[in-house]
Amino acid sequence: LTVWVDRGRAWTLVADARVEEAIEVLINGGTHAQSGEHYVWACFCFHDVVRLGRPGLVIEQIDSLPPMPGADFVDNMRHHAQALHKGDSGALADVAERFASYGAVLLASEAWAQTGELLVENDPSRAARCVLLSLASQSRCEGSDTPALRSRPSLISARESQVAVVVAQGLSSPQIAEDQFISVRTVDNHLSSVYRKLGISSREELR
């Protein structure tokens, strides 16, 4: 219970832009949980520091946690820390995919955003794909606003993301135009922009 109170207090501090204080609370909470052999709760606290973009502060603690057979979600938090710490975009994308498969769409959105950050300079097309996946996942978390999401590269606009998602679901341009109160030409312009940024050329590739 104490750990969950600490996590709640930490994210309140994050909302107040007091990230360094939040990180201190999370590390203290994780260390306390680890000392009491509450390893899952420790991992949650340390993973929150990873979500805040500071894996180097907790990578040793996370790596020192004992194996937890069957705890796939916890293992993925550990992989998240390792991938971000190493700057391994491929491993980080795998982490995002697994979070999405578990239904943890906010964590998936954050991991996709972090992957986009790693790729933005050297592979803008792949970065744009990650940004689109992050935006699509975030759209399922109403009101979500975390540091990882705020630092996501601005490669695709929210409107382009909205159009891309419904196109991928099979809607036609006229259907989208009617639903979003915009012209068919505007829909197609957004779609063309998305294609160019992703390095693709068809609705099938977008799906």
Side-chain angles (χ1 to χ4, degrees):
L1 179 60
T2 301
V3 173
W4 288 109
V5 171
D6 286 343
R7 289 187 72 215
R9 183 158 64 91
W11 284 97
T12 298
L13 290 169
V14 171
D16 291 337
R18 297 160 64 184
V19 175
E20 296 304 319
E21 292 177 61
I23 288 173
E24 183 178 354
V25 169
L26 290 165
I27 291 175
N28 287 340
T31 302
H32 176 71
Q34 189 173 14
S35 67
E37 299 185 359
H38 300 296
Y39 299 124
V40 171
W41 311 133
C43 196
F44 270 96
C45 280
F46 294 143
H47 182 248
D48 282 347
V49 178
V50 177
R51 294 174 62 195
L52 293 171
R54 304 291 289 278
L57 296 178
V58 294
I59 191 66
E60 290 184 5
Q61 293 95 319
I62 286 180
D63 283 345
S64 70
L65 293 173
M68 291 173 255
D72 294 345
F73 189 90
V74 174
D75 281 344
N76 203 46
M77 291 193 288
R78 195 196 308 259
H79 295 322
H80 188 183
Q82 294 164 344
L84 189 60
H85 183 60
K86 293 176 183 176
D88 187 335
S89 61
L92 194 53
D94 289 341
V95 164
E97 289 278 10
R98 283 193 292 270
F99 277 138
S101 73
Y102 301 145
V105 289
L106 178 56
L107 298 183
S109 182
E110 290 176 337
W112 281 125
Q114 291 170 333
T115 308
E117 281 190 273
L118 291 180
L119 292 168
V120 66
E121 290 189 11
N122 296 323
D123 196 339
S125 291
R126 282 183 63 205
R129 296 177 190 196
C130 293
V131 167
L132 179 57
L133 288 164
S134 177
L135 286 163
S137 297
Q138 185 183 1
S139 69
R140 298 171 58 190
C141 307
E142 187 174 351
S144 56
D145 180 28
T146 67
L149 300 180
R150 290 196 294 271
S151 62
R152 178 177 50 214
S154 301
L155 298 175
I156 293 180
S157 71
R159 177 64 87 175
E160 288 172 340
S161 171
Q162 291 170 351
V163 168
V165 167
V166 290
V167 165
Q169 293 170 346
L171 271 67
S172 67
S173 293
Q175 288 173 317
I176 297 167
E178 182 178 358
D179 183 63
Q180 298 194 11
F181 303 103
I182 55 179
S183 70
V184 172
R185 181 174 182 176
T186 298
V187 172
D188 289 339
N189 285 341
H190 285 317
L191 194 55
S192 295
S193 178
V194 169
Y195 286 172
R196 175 176 52 79
K197 292 174 180 179
L198 300 183
I200 62 176
S201 59
S202 70
R203 291 175 181 241
E204 183 58 37
E205 287 180 280
L206 179 60
R207 279 193 288 273

